[in-house]
Amino acid sequence: MAWLPKLARMAVLVLLLAFLLQPSWFEPLLRPLVQQNAPAIYNQGSLFWLTVLHLRTVFVATLAAAIVAVALAILVTRRAGAEFLPLSRSLVNIGQTFPPVAVLALAVPIFGFGEKPTLIALFLYGLLPIFENALTGLTTLPPAVMEAARGAGMTERQRLFNIELPLALPVILTGIRLSVVISLATATIGSTVAAKTLGEVIIAGLQSNNLAFVLQGGLIVAALAVLIHDALQALERFLSGRVRA
């Protein structure tokens, strides 16, 4: 029965693509959720392009967070940068200390309305899980492997790129997965400051008391989170298998 989860994920993917490309096919299912004469399918923009823009925002913010968080983890695991560990932890905890809504409120007066405040909020919110996992991955490497690398005459740079990062990659990817899933949901609030995300659909539904709109936005985000989570988890298992081999 191991094929059942794969079949379920494939069904979710097919349904998601069908809904984004041909939402009118699903109108009969959503019609009972709306008042008479109210639209059952979101009609204030393209659901497909809102999804693409939502994913782009999450990707850019997560990529920036991953670069900064992994760089910080590398710094504090070197002999010369170990003393910066407390400071680094304080920096990456900023995103968890301030709610994304508060970050948006502070960023809008500086950067204006649009995507930039959302990117900043998601970037700060995504730092902690990636940093902590990168730190764990780089500090729990097999001592025998590291000793063999030193014995082979590898420089610190060679050990980092040829041994440490490849071995730590599955653990780092776990942090990136957590960051992506958090950002997918959090990005919806970006629409409150005019960012183009799936939050537009949810907000439009709340403003017009249209449950179908709210359900569409929520289900698309949920489906994306499940599919991306499972894809990254599969990649982690693949990389872990290669590391053990």
Side-chain angles (χ1 to χ4, degrees):
M1 303 293 282
W3 51 271
L4 278 177
K6 294 181 181 178
L7 185 61
R9 286 192 289 269
M10 184 60 67
V12 171
L13 177 60
V14 170
L15 285 172
L16 177 62
L17 289 175
F19 183 74
L20 292 177
L21 296 173
Q22 293 293 338
S24 58
W25 291 353
F26 298 82
E27 185 172 2
L29 293 174
L30 296 167
R31 175 59 56 188
L33 300 176
V34 299
Q35 299 173 358
Q36 191 175 10
N37 298 324
I41 300 296
Y42 182 70
N43 59 356
Q44 299 174 28
S46 166
L47 286 171
F48 176 79
W49 283 111
L50 278 177
T51 302
V52 171
L53 294 172
H54 189 103
L55 289 172
R56 184 191 69 177
T57 299
V58 171
F59 173 78
V60 171
T62 304
L63 178 62
I67 291 172
V68 172
V70 173
L72 279 175
I74 292 172
L75 171 66
V76 299
T77 53
R78 305 305 98 179
R79 194 177 297 110
E83 62 185 281
F84 294 105
L85 177 57
L87 176 61
S88 297
R89 275 218 164 98
S90 297
L91 288 174
V92 299
N93 270 295
I94 289 176
Q96 305 295 322
T97 304
F98 292 96
V101 174
V103 176
L104 289 177
L106 293 172
V108 166
I110 301 172
F111 298 99
F113 287 91
E115 190 180 30
K116 287 181 181 178
T118 307
L119 286 172
I120 293 169
L122 297 183
F123 166 77
L124 292 175
Y125 215 55
L127 282 173
L128 182 61
I130 303 175
F131 174 78
E132 290 296 344
N133 277 65
L135 192 62
T136 300
L138 291 170
T139 54
T140 57
L141 299 170
V145 174
M146 297 306 299
E147 196 58 41
R150 292 189 189 92
M154 295 178 71
T155 65
E156 187 171 349
R157 182 185 180 87
Q158 289 172 328
R159 291 198 303 271
L160 173 63
F161 288 102
N162 296 336
I163 304 295
E164 296 180 49
L165 285 177
L167 289 176
L169 188 56
V171 183
I172 296 172
L173 195 56
T174 299
I176 293 174
R177 172 167 54 87
L178 294 173
S179 179
V180 168
V181 172
I182 292 170
S183 294
L184 278 168
T186 308
T188 56
I189 67 170
S191 292
T192 60
V193 293
K196 287 289 182 180
T197 74
L198 288 163
E200 279 192 19
V201 185
I202 298 172
I203 292 171
L206 293 173
Q207 290 176 338
S208 60
N209 196 27
N210 189 321
L211 182 58
F213 284 8
V214 177
L215 191 63
Q216 286 165 59
L219 286 179
I220 293 172
V221 172
L224 290 172
V226 169
L227 292 171
I228 294 174
H229 175 278
D230 287 352
L232 291 175
Q233 198 169 53
L235 181 57
E236 289 168 37
R237 287 195 294 267
F238 172 74
L239 292 174
S240 296
R242 291 192 62 181
V243 167
R244 285 194 295 269

